[in-house]
Structure formats: C-alpha cells, structure tokens
Amino acid sequence: ESGLWRNFSPQMASNMLWAYGKVGIAHMRLFDTFAEYIALNIGSFDNQNIANSAWAYATTQLPSQSVFDTLTRRACGRLNTFRLDELCGIMWAYVRAKPETVAFSQIFEESVQLLVPRVATLDAQSVANVIWV
C-alpha cells in the first residue's frame, strides 16, 4: 500500500517474487501488485528477471494470465539470448502455470527449437526441468 514497490528495479522485483516462491509463500496481494509492476516496467526486464518472475508465479500457483502474456511479449523473439538454465526454467514455469495451452504457445515452440540443437550441453537441473515438461 505504500507504493514503495514502484521504486524497485526489475531485479529487485523479480528477486522478491522469486524469494516468496522459494519459501512457498503465495501472497496474493503482493503478486497482484507486482503484476502491475511487471506490466509497467517490462521493457526494462532482462532475461533473468523474466525467468525469475515466471518461475515465481508458477511456483506459488498464482499464474496470472496478464503476467504471462506480458512476459511472453518480452521474451519471444529474444529467447536465443537466454542462457540454457533460463530457457529451461521458463519452459518449466509456463508448463506449470498453463499446462493446457503451453504446448501451443509461441514461447514453447521457440524454446523447443532453441533447445533441441543444444540438448547435449544441458546441466542436470536443466535436464530435469525439460523432462518434467
């Protein structure tokens, strides 16, 4: 309610969301507030901010359609700049958040196209994320 969140950098915002997800706190008002933040500041989000935010919303089972739509617009067309762990993490988040539609989404199709030629270079966590998908 203080509006302090408006002064956060994208890294601060995505790290806060990630931290709440990591400890399993699904604070609806906080995530709703940061949905607005993401919509207003998506142009400043880097790959890690996108991946962390998607992971946090999916992990807390608060998958906001507007957040995922906004993250998708920012990520698509630049997924080739994501590190492998970011790419695998974002795929996991989208499947967890929107299992009924993700297989037909642009972000999923782009991710698969980028991962297939690089599959031999995936670390154990990335392999686990992809297998889970």
Side-chain angles (χ1 to χ4, degrees):
E1 294 181 28
S2 71
L4 182 62
W5 59 272
R6 294 178 194 279
N7 298 321
F8 281 21
S9 68
Q11 181 179 356
M12 291 168 63
S14 66
N15 286 350
M16 177 180 277
L17 292 170
W18 180 89
Y20 271 76
K22 183 68 175 169
V23 296
I25 299 173
H27 191 285
M28 178 91 52
R29 274 187 38 207
L30 178 107
F31 277 78
D32 285 348
T33 298
F34 278 97
E36 180 183 346
Y37 176 90
I38 291 168
L40 294 171
N41 295 284
I42 193 63
S44 299
F45 273 53
D46 66 18
N47 298 347
Q48 186 69 50
N49 306 146
I50 294 166
N52 282 355
S53 298
W55 183 89
Y57 277 88
T59 299
T60 57
Q61 298 180 359
L62 297 172
S64 165
Q65 183 69 43
S66 66
V67 167
F68 278 87
D69 289 348
T70 301
L71 294 173
T72 298
R73 282 192 302 276
R74 178 71 172 147
C76 284
R78 56 180 274 168
L79 288 171
N80 64 324
T81 67
F82 279 59
R83 294 186 324 254
L84 284 176
D85 62 310
E86 294 167 340
L87 195 56
C88 292
I90 204 165
M91 285 180 68
W92 178 90
Y94 274 72
V95 168
R96 169 97 182 212
K98 301 174 13 170
E100 67 284 348
T101 61
V102 75
F104 306 105
S105 70
Q106 181 182 359
I107 201 161
F108 192 79
E109 289 179 24
E110 279 188 41
S111 296
V112 168
Q113 288 175 1
L114 291 166
L115 277 175
V116 168
R118 298 162 56 184
V119 75
T121 64
L122 296 176
D123 63 19
Q125 182 61 56
S126 297
V127 169
N129 286 347
V130 170
I131 289 171
W132 191 90
V133 169

